[in-house]
Amino acid sequence: MLEEVERWLADRSWSAADRPLDQLLDLKRAAGTTVSVVLPALDEEATVGAIVEAVRRELIEGLPCPLVDELVVVDSGSADRTAEVAAKAGARVVHRDEILPRIPALPGKGEVLWRSLLATTGDIVCFVDADLRDFSATFVSGIVGPLLTDPGVQFVKAMYDRPLGDAPGQGGRVTELVARPLLNLHWPQLAGFVQPLGGEYAVRRSLLERLPFPVGYGVELGLLVDALHTVGLDALAQVDVGVRLHRHQDGQALGRMAAAIYRTAQVRLSRGHLVRPELTQFERGPEGFVPRTYPVDTEERPPMLGVTEYGRRHVA
């Protein structure tokens, strides 16, 4: 590990317990900083309500001043009751296609995160995946904390244990097999991040609006790499929030995720084009193995500062 990374681990890795909530509330009130929490959601009716309720109960209601000013669920076309459950729990629900309708939406998580910048106004934007179980509001307060206490910090990722069933530490298979090797080999300054692909992170809007967003699974790696090049390692940090429990995907879905992440890295390494932006996988059928070919996410959205509607809002 680079000496720079060893120093960063000592200086920029914290625990959520390091910053008590009352301290954060005092600092937020004094600075007038606003915080938006965004949950990108697709068919998450089983979990989204409990997450929204926890954030409202612990970080909005009954406090001297709320830590969270906006709680927004961006629904990307759920076929279940995700939107209804989220609204009933107290979130403002916005459909992906209602944001920036001039530009037809593409499928993918990164597309939802990019559009959420137009649907929110907070100085700090905190993203939280909507499939978390046994959610704790410290996932939010923990990663927002450094942005309220240290003006030099601009991007904070959550770190946590990720069990796979009853096996501790076996979650995050794409992280260990794809993302971590890529980062260590090509961006060794980022080798200290425990969960580089984690979906829980808080970022200053002034940074997010300057970054391109891969539209699919590569969004987390892309934002992290581009943030490093934009503001430097010392502006990045991570906070231990405990244990993350969520729905795990099957091996083939993970393969497609890995391909998108590799593609995101490849573009940043060469800024070139993939020869073949597709991935062929195999499924056993009645007569043997059947090839299935899927497109690999190849689109990226530009920095939000270049979008006319976003600029108009700032002028207004």
Side-chain angles (χ1 to χ4, degrees), residues 145 179 193 207 221 234 255 282:
F193 276 93
L207 172 58
L221 183 123
D234 282 343
F282 292 87

Side-chain angles (χ1 to χ4, degrees), residues 180-203:
R180 201 176 308 285
L182 283 171
L183 293 177
N184 276 263
L185 291 170
H186 298 295
W187 297 281
Q189 287 179 297
L190 298 175
F193 276 93
V194 176
Q195 297 292 351
L197 300 185
E200 291 69 48
Y201 44 104
V203 192

Side-chain angles (χ1 to χ4, degrees), residues 59 61 91 95 109 119 138 169 174 177 189 208 219 223 229 248 252 266 273 289:
L59 302 180
E61 299 169 349
H95 194 281
K109 178 183 178 183
T138 56
V174 175
L177 295 174
Q189 287 179 297
L208 277 177
V219 63
L223 290 177
H229 291 306
H248 292 282
Q252 292 210 332
Q266 186 262 352
H273 298 285
F289 286 102

Side-chain angles (χ1 to χ4, degrees), residues 240-301:
D240 188 348
V241 297
V243 179
R244 185 185 198 268
L245 301 175
H246 66 114
R247 182 185 66 251
H248 292 282
Q249 301 194 57
D250 63 35
Q252 292 210 332
L254 294 178
R256 297 190 289 275
M257 182 185 300
I261 290 165
Y262 181 83
R263 175 264 166 192
T264 301
Q266 186 262 352
V267 167
R268 276 150 182 78
L269 287 168
S270 66
R271 291 297 169 184
H273 298 285
L274 287 178
V275 175
R276 180 177 179 269
E278 296 177 329
L279 175 71
T280 298
Q281 297 176 315
F282 292 87
E283 300 174 6
R284 183 181 287 279
E287 299 180 1
F289 286 102
V290 179
R292 307 286 188 197
T293 299
Y294 301 88
V296 173
D297 297 320
T298 57
E299 298 292 336
E300 295 201 8
R301 293 305 193 185

